[in-house]
Amino acid sequence: MTTYLWNPPPPLSLPVRGKSERFPINRLFFVGRNYHAHAVEMGKPVDKSAERPFYFTKSPQTLLESSATTAYPPETKNFHYEMELVVAIGKAGFRVSADRAHEIIYGYAAGLDMTRRDLQLVARDKGRPWDLGKDVEESSVCAEIVPMAGVVIERGEIALQVNGQTKQQSNIDKLIWNIREIIADLSLFYHLQPGDLIYTGTPEGVGPVVPGDAITGHVQGVGEISLRIGAAS
Ligand code: MN
């Protein structure tokens, strides 16, 4: 029997709607600038005819279940919400064609890609890695996984409120690279595995939260998410 110097952390997982088994987490992928209006508000419009999608990753250890309270994170003065549709991968896939992308989808979830925007923009503008802005502890918030094997979501409202006031409201049909295209492209670079999550990008309207704020959001046909911002850690 293998023994360890100390107890290894338990496997990371999320609840699955309608099941007692949980969804074990492998990696967390994020698509950058995948709604035109958000790319424009960030000052970096996208020309799909001349560009490919780009990605960043976060440590799986940044995962946080919906309905939690997270402490306002250290070393930022501009902590932002980003409401996103999350694709949950259920089968291995490498160089998956767009027309077969549905075969590796297990389901979907509502997600939040919480971001230290001030640090992300400094990194972006100095040509440095985004990690301090994006790989924030407890920043990959995800609701329960909704089993929808083989289904490709093409439309549906995506929206977010802070303290009940709508801040983001768009539609999945506005994705620059749709779910088939994302799986096809990302699987050129990575051997996708069961348990991988792909956060598909956020629409326009991103903005700051402060301690005491309550975030709620939903993706039509998928589900809801919530997060409370606690006092600074
Ligand atoms: Mn994002």
Side-chain angles (χ1 to χ4, degrees):
M1 189 181 120
T2 305
T3 59
Y4 298 94
L5 288 171
W6 49 82
N7 289 332
L12 296 159
S13 66
L14 286 168
V16 179
R17 183 181 296 173
K19 288 189 182 293
S20 55
E21 298 94 343
R22 292 174 64 93
F23 182 92
I25 297 298
N26 191 45
R27 288 170 295 187
L28 306 180
F29 297 102
F30 294 74
V31 185
R33 295 176 209 142
N34 204 17
Y35 290 81
H36 281 297
H38 172 63
V40 168
E41 77 181 349
M42 298 304 289
K44 300 283 183 183
V46 173
D47 176 1
K48 188 179 182 183
S49 69
E51 297 176 45
R52 290 176 66 178
F54 75 95
Y55 312 94
F56 56 92
T57 59
K58 296 194 190 190
S59 323
Q61 288 75 16
T62 62
L63 188 74
L64 181 65
E65 277 188 43
S66 178
S67 307
T69 298
T70 189
Y72 193 90
E75 298 298 321
T76 183
K77 292 182 165 55
N78 198 17
F79 190 44
H80 272 209
Y81 52 80
E82 294 189 359
M83 181 71 205
E84 310 204 3
L85 170 65
V86 179
V87 181
I89 299 298
K91 290 181 181 162
F94 180 55
R95 295 175 180 154
V96 180
S97 64
D99 60 344
R100 300 191 68 170
H102 60 280
E103 294 177 8
I104 69 166
I105 294 173
Y106 176 82
Y108 294 88
L112 291 168
D113 169 18
M114 300 300 294
T115 301
R116 288 177 180 122
R117 188 72 70 202
D118 43 358
L119 302 193
Q120 183 212 0
L121 294 183
V122 166
R124 186 190 76 178
D125 295 342
K126 289 183 181 291
R128 293 174 181 164
W130 286 15
D131 298 44
L132 294 180
K134 284 292 192 181
D135 191 39
V136 179
E137 291 171 348
E138 300 193 336
S139 71
S140 303
V141 189
C142 199
E144 63 179 356
I145 304 290
V146 182
M148 296 174 71
V151 174
V152 176
I153 293 181
E154 294 176 332
R155 62 190 61 82
E157 184 182 70
I158 178 168
L160 174 143
Q161 302 84 32
V162 178
N163 305 325
Q165 186 178 8
T166 297
K167 300 288 189 182
Q168 295 188 282
Q169 190 166 28
S170 186
N171 197 291
I172 301 304
D173 67 7
K174 292 190 165 61
L175 284 171
I176 298 172
W177 285 279
N178 65 32
I179 287 162
R180 288 189 183 279
E181 291 168 327
I182 291 165
I183 288 173
D185 187 76
L186 185 61
S187 72
L188 298 174
F189 300 91
Y190 294 95
H191 294 75
L192 295 179
Q193 297 292 324
D196 288 343
L197 298 182
I198 306 172
Y199 286 63
T200 55
T202 195
E204 71 277 17
V206 299
V209 285
V210 296
D213 280 348
I215 298 172
T216 51
H218 71 268
V219 179
Q220 184 183 3
V222 176
E224 302 184 340
I225 192 165
S226 66
L227 177 69
R228 269 189 179 279
I229 310 300
S233 54

